[in-house]
Amino acid sequence: PRLMQSLGDDLRVYQTSTIEDKYRFIFIDGLWIHIKEIDIKKRPVLFALGITKDGRQEIISFKLANGETEEEYASFLNDLYRRGLKGKMLELIIQDGSRAISAAVNMVYPYTPRQRCYTHKLRNLIHNIRYKIKHRARLMKQAGNIYKATSRQEAIKRFRLFVRRWRNLEPRAVKCFQDEFYHTLNFYDFPKEIRSTISTTNHLERFLEEIRRRIKIQGYFKNERSLKLWIFVLI
């Protein structure tokens, strides 16, 4: 009990203390986890991972939410802002294709460019291919090659060629790929040596994958408090 009380005190400090406005990049995503309270149900935990000017990675904060909604993400980001993360050093926010995250970012950090994770973009493209056996291999190779371009201009050139080749054969897939495509190219505004770090949400996803791996052993959490303390210990 004494250890749990001490952890609880440390968690309160972590979730309420001032945040130093030192992050160059922020990654935002959520993870759904089972909580057994009244009945087994899933709740999302929202995470923000920051990278500083000197390349250090830190989980800035997390929040147990009621859903991955615009309201919940806006509340989460507003809390970061209120605690000191004004975004004066912030150059890019990296996210998946969630409309809720996009809307919340536009509300709280309206002048910070968004990088839409191109890995998620390609995954969504796969789901929208109609003739998978016939087209999938060629289509996905050509789409993937867009992001191997050495410059934004070359990537756009490859994208336009891709659209011309496939829009009549796979209209739904191409329409999906065109949606917010230009937000997947913002990593090209940075030096080559850091592009792989900021072009996808992989850095945060690796941390979330570690949580998923450990949850398989845990199964579920008894209540909200045990979940929050468990994540805090991992961080």
Side-chain angles (χ1 to χ4, degrees):
R2 188 177 297 174
L3 175 61
M4 294 296 283
Q5 181 62 47
S6 177
L7 276 174
D9 292 342
D10 290 343
L11 174 60
R12 275 189 292 277
V13 170
Y14 172 77
Q15 292 188 317
T16 58
S17 60
T18 299
I19 298 173
E20 189 178 347
D21 196 12
K22 61 182 179 179
Y23 299 103
R24 186 180 183 189
F25 309 114
I26 292 179
F27 300 73
I28 302 168
D29 205 353
L31 175 67
W32 289 76
I33 300 176
H34 277 120
I35 302 172
K36 185 177 182 180
E37 219 166 23
I38 302 176
D39 195 2
I40 292 182
K41 59 181 180 178
K42 277 190 171 184
R43 296 270 301 280
V45 182
L46 315 183
F47 291 90
L49 180 147
I51 299 183
T52 62
K53 285 278 186 184
D54 58 4
R56 281 177 42 236
Q57 297 182 35
E58 301 169 351
I59 298 293
I60 303 169
S61 188
F62 70 91
K63 177 194 176 189
L64 179 62
N66 291 316
E68 285 196 83
T69 63
E70 177 185 339
E71 182 182 14
E72 289 285 3
Y73 273 110
S75 171
F76 181 50
L77 295 182
N78 270 316
D79 181 63
L80 301 184
Y81 188 91
R82 179 186 59 80
R83 290 165 59 197
L85 212 170
K86 307 298 184 186
K88 291 179 180 178
M89 307 282 286
L90 191 55
E91 297 180 52
L92 197 66
I93 294 176
I94 301 95
Q95 60 162 105
D96 61 18
S98 164
R99 302 283 186 188
I101 297 177
S102 299
V105 167
N106 285 334
M107 185 185 303
V108 183
Y109 299 105
Y111 305 112
T112 303
R114 288 185 295 116
Q115 167 64 29
R116 182 166 172 174
C117 171
Y118 79 73
T119 301
H120 280 87
K121 194 68 170 162
L122 293 174
R123 287 178 197 163
N124 290 340
L125 179 60
I126 290 175
H127 296 318
N128 284 276
I129 297 173
R130 183 177 181 183
Y131 301 105
K132 288 184 170 58
I133 295 174
K134 185 178 180 181
H135 293 156
R136 176 174 168 171
R138 271 192 310 137
L139 187 149
M140 292 308 300
K141 182 178 180 181
Q142 290 172 21
N145 281 338
I146 293 171
Y147 298 104
K148 294 177 182 177
T150 56
S151 68
R152 178 194 287 264
Q153 291 73 22
E154 178 61 27
I156 292 172
K157 183 179 176 182
R158 294 182 184 186
F159 167 73
R160 287 173 176 161
L161 181 60
F162 173 86
V163 171
R164 285 198 299 271
R165 282 175 176 168
W166 292 103
R167 63 186 166 197
N168 293 325
L169 297 171
E170 290 284 354
R172 189 176 69 175
V174 170
K175 188 173 184 291
C176 165
F177 196 56
Q178 286 176 307
D179 179 45
E180 284 209 324
F181 168 76
Y182 288 97
H183 282 298
T184 69
L185 302 180
N186 284 326
F187 71 96
Y188 279 112
D189 294 336
F190 297 86
K192 290 180 180 178
E193 58 268 21
I194 62 168
R195 288 178 184 174
S196 63
T197 299
I198 60 174
S199 57
T200 71
T201 56
N202 286 353
H203 280 274
L204 179 52
E205 284 204 353
R206 278 195 285 270
F207 175 75
L208 299 186
E209 192 54 47
E210 177 63 15
I211 292 180
R212 285 191 192 96
R213 188 183 67 81
R214 299 195 185 199
I215 285 174
K216 285 182 180 178
I217 302 170
Q218 181 82 9
Y220 61 83
F221 294 90
K222 186 171 64 175
N223 52 45
E224 292 184 9
R225 183 170 182 268
S226 64
L227 168 61
K228 292 175 183 176
L229 291 176
W230 186 83
I231 291 175
F232 179 59
V233 169
L234 281 184
I235 292 173

